[in-house]
């Protein structure tokens, strides 16, 4: 029994030794393991340090955080101390991040200020541009209305002059204004008795007419021949037509466009005086040149 | 001779008890002082955070800092000075974090406001220039 007992004691001792040894071994194996949470703190720090926008900012807080993380990573048997160090490391990394982000925001603010300034400047420039444009427009409008006033004055002056000139021309032609236009009466002195040819020296009044028509190219002319009551109707009609034609062709030869001229014979119709007297008949033998009024009364 | 071993045993026991007593006394005598500096630093950090309105911008961190400081005070009362110092330090960094986050949130809010008003300014300008090309 004693021997058995002794062996039993020996066995127990061996067992205890083994357990102690294995516990010690386990302790040895566990020792190099970093405290819980240290890896997370390191991870957060690495993320912060590899952010190109933040890495170089808040250098003091960064250094603090780095030191704290290193300390937290050291194996520590005292669990409370290990947890305390991990806690400090974690918060210091967060402080470093917050400070770095604040610094980044401050830098960005400078850019925002610049943007605001440039926007304000733009706005002012635009306002100035608009004001300048409006002023330019106003000046231009004033100038053009002044010019318009000048030119309308000039136009008025021109038309006054033109009216005066026309009146002078009309006076020269001794034409009478009527509803149909200006009527210029060419007496029978133009023609040989019974003939339709113009007398060579009797074209003075016709030349004044040519000058007038050249001056006023928008006026057309109706040429009408008249006779006295002596002779047959056919004869007088034919004679009045030939005389009107004769005047027309003279005017054409002087350069007045044929399109502007019409010629017709009115025979012994429409006498302007009595055919009973020689003087009356002489007045009735005539060619009337009716100068039309211009199409529009603008001139 | 037979009585000797028990006597010897008894004296060893007494000695052990004595040493233990001395150790306990020594432990009492060498009770570390309260971590006053750490506690004050934590209190200062909390006050600083409160001044920057961390209660509004980082309420979680500020409240955590206060809790840690309260824990430190309790540990001091329980004479657990090492723990008290750790709580105090944790309270201080938590309060510092509250301040840092507050500053960050404020800075970003200013930027957001500027971005918004710049956008409005630019938009308005474009509208104006659209009215008067």
């Amino acid at each position: 029994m004693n021997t058995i007992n002794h062996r039993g004691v020996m066995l127990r001792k061996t067992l205890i030794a083994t357990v102690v040894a294995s516990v010690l071994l386990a302790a040895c194996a566990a020792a190099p393991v970093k405290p819980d949470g240290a890896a997370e703190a390191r991870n957060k720090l690495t993320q912060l340090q590899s952010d190109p926008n933040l890495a170089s900012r808040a250098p003091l807080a960064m250094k603090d955080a780095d030191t704290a993380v290193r300390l937290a990573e050291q194996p520590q048997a005292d669990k409370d101390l290990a947890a305390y160090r991990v806690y400090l490391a974690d918060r210091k990394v967060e402080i470093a991040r917050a400070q770095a982000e604040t610094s980044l925001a401050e830098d960005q603010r400078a850019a925002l200020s610049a943007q605001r300034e440039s926007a304000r400047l733009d706005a002012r420039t635009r306002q100035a541009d608009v004001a300048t444009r409006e002023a330019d427009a106003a000046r231009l409008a004033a100038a053009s209305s002044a010019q318009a006033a000048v030119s309308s004055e000039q136009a008025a002056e021109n038309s006054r002059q033109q009216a005066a000139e026309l009146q002078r021309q009309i006076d020269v032609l001794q034409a009478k204004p009527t509803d149909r236009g200006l009527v210029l009466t060419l007496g029978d002195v133009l023609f040989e008795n019974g003939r339709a040819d113009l007398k060579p020296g009797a074209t003075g009044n016709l030349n004044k007419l040519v000058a007038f028509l050249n001056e006023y190219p928008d006026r057309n002319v109706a040429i009408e021949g008249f006779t006295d009551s002596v002779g047959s109707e056919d004869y007088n009609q034919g004679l009045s037509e030939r005389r009107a034609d004769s005047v027309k062709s003279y005017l054409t030869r002087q350069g007045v466009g044929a399109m502007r001229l019409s010629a017709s014979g009115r025979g012994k119709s429409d006498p302007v005086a009595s055919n009973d007297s020689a003087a009356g008949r002489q007045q009735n033998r005539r060619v009337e040149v009716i100068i039309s009024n211009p199409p529009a009364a603008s001139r | 001779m037979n009585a000797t071993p028990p006597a010897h045993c008894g004296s060893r026991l007494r000695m052990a008890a004595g040493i233990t007593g001395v150790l306990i006394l020594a432990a009492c005598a060498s009770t570390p002082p309260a971590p006053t500096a750490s506690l004050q630093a934590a209190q200062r950090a909390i006050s600083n955070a409160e001044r920057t309105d961390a209660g509004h911008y980082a309420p979680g961190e500020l409240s955590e800092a206060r809790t840690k400081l309260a824990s430190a005070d309790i540990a001091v009362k329980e004479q657990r000075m090492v723990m008290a110092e750790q709580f105090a330090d944790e309270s201080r960094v938590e309060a510092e974090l509250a301040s840092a986050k507050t500053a960050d949130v404020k800075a970003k809010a200013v930027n957001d406001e500027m971005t918004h008003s710049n956008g409005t300014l630019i938009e308005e300008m474009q509208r104006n220039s659209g009215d008067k090309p």
Side-chain angles (χ1 to χ4, degrees):
Chain A
M1 278 297 282
N2 230 354
T3 326
I4 293 166
N5 259 351
H6 180 72
R7 283 188 63 190
V9 168
M10 287 290 286
L11 201 72
R12 262 203 307 234
K13 278 185 176 171
T14 314
L15 201 74
I16 288 165
T18 312
V19 168
V20 169
S22 58
V23 164
L24 282 174
L25 276 171
C28 279
V33 173
K34 291 173 182 174
D36 286 348
E40 283 82 352
R42 167 61 69 188
N43 210 12
K44 279 163 88 171
L45 180 61
T46 306
Q47 274 185 15
L48 178 56
Q49 285 168 337
S50 56
D51 187 329
N53 287 325
L54 302 175
S56 61
R57 297 176 188 277
L60 262 154
M62 286 281 189
K63 192 158 172 279
D64 247 21
D66 192 68
T67 308
V69 169
R70 278 176 208 276
L71 190 63
E73 281 172 339
Q74 282 176 11
Q76 179 52 250
D78 183 342
K79 289 259 194 285
D80 285 347
L81 182 57
Y84 159 74
R85 286 174 174 175
V86 167
Y87 188 96
L88 291 195
D90 178 83
R91 295 309 189 272
K92 287 192 172 183
V93 171
E94 289 214 24
I95 289 169
R97 171 173 285 276
Q99 288 189 1
E101 286 186 1
T102 305
S103 152
L104 176 62
E106 279 161 1
D107 278 7
Q108 287 169 339
R109 191 176 310 156
L112 285 170
S113 287
Q115 185 191 32
R116 171 181 293 195
E117 271 320 297
S118 102
R120 279 187 179 152
L121 190 65
D122 261 21
R124 277 200 293 272
T125 307
R126 270 168 209 262
Q127 276 173 358
D129 282 355
V130 167
T132 306
R133 265 201 301 277
E134 283 171 354
D136 281 353
R139 210 175 303 129
L140 220 68
S144 80
S145 74
Q147 205 163 28
V150 167
S151 72
S152 78
E153 224 168 86
Q154 209 157 32
E157 177 59 25
N158 282 350
S159 62
R160 265 199 301 280
Q161 281 176 3
Q162 280 161 9
E165 174 63 13
L166 178 63
Q167 191 53 55
R168 202 179 60 76
Q169 298 269 3
I170 289 166
D171 291 348
V172 166
L173 286 175
Q174 296 173 332
K176 283 194 288 284
T178 70
D179 288 347
R180 301 174 63 195
L182 295 168
V183 176
L184 171 65
T185 303
L186 304 169
D188 73 335
V189 291
L190 284 178
F191 302 98
E192 296 287 358
N193 197 15
R195 301 286 301 271
D197 306 326
L198 288 168
K199 283 185 187 167
T203 53
N205 222 14
L206 282 177
N207 289 340
K208 286 178 200 163
L209 177 62
V210 169
F212 181 88
L213 291 177
N214 286 339
E215 192 70 23
Y216 301 97
D218 52 349
R219 290 175 184 243
N220 296 333
V221 169
I223 303 157
E224 296 178 348
F226 296 87
T227 62
D228 58 22
S229 59
V230 178
S232 75
E233 194 153 325
D234 283 353
Y235 171 80
N236 282 327
Q237 179 62 33
L239 181 64
S240 67
E241 282 175 15
R242 287 197 301 279
R243 286 183 166 176
D245 282 343
S246 185
V247 170
K248 180 185 172 182
S249 51
Y250 178 82
L251 294 178
T252 309
R253 281 200 302 279
Q254 297 304 311
V256 180
M259 296 287 284
R260 296 170 63 192
L261 306 172
S262 64
S264 59
R266 304 286 299 275
K268 56 188 178 183
S269 68
D270 216 356
V272 290
S274 165
N275 280 307
D276 294 342
S277 67
R281 285 196 295 276
Q282 190 184 16
Q283 281 183 355
N284 288 337
R285 296 192 296 272
R286 69 198 191 274
V287 170
E288 285 183 359
V289 175
I290 300 119
I291 303 163
S292 71
N293 289 322
S298 64
R299 282 195 61 157
Chain B
M1 280 301 282
N2 250 0
T4 311
H8 180 69
C9 224
S11 83
R12 274 226 297 243
L13 259 174
R14 269 200 303 276
M15 211 171 98
I19 289 169
T20 307
V22 167
L23 278 177
I24 287 170
L25 276 174
C28 282
S30 73
T31 292
T36 316
S38 292
L39 291 166
Q40 285 175 348
Q43 186 54 59
R44 264 200 308 278
I46 289 174
S47 300
N48 286 343
E50 283 167 344
R51 258 200 303 283
T52 62
D53 205 8
H56 179 69
Y57 292 101
E61 284 77 8
L62 184 60
S63 145
E64 179 72 9
R66 286 179 182 138
T67 306
K68 292 276 185 189
L69 185 58
S71 299
D73 287 337
I74 291 167
V76 168
K77 288 196 182 95
E78 291 174 353
Q79 301 286 305
R80 300 163 79 179
M81 298 311 180
V82 174
M83 189 183 271
E85 179 156 25
Q86 289 178 356
F87 274 133
D89 286 350
E90 288 177 4
S91 168
R92 177 177 50 79
V93 289
E94 196 71 48
E96 285 170 359
L97 177 57
S99 291
K101 283 204 167 174
T102 297
D104 190 28
V105 172
K106 282 180 178 174
K108 282 172 181 165
V110 170
N111 285 16
D112 284 352
E113 156 59 20
M114 282 179 79
T115 306
H116 177 75
S117 73
N118 282 8
T120 309
L121 191 64
I122 290 165
E123 199 177 297
E124 205 168 295
M125 204 172 62
Q126 281 164 350
R127 209 174 25 243
N128 282 346
S129 67
D131 283 349
K132 298 171 184 173

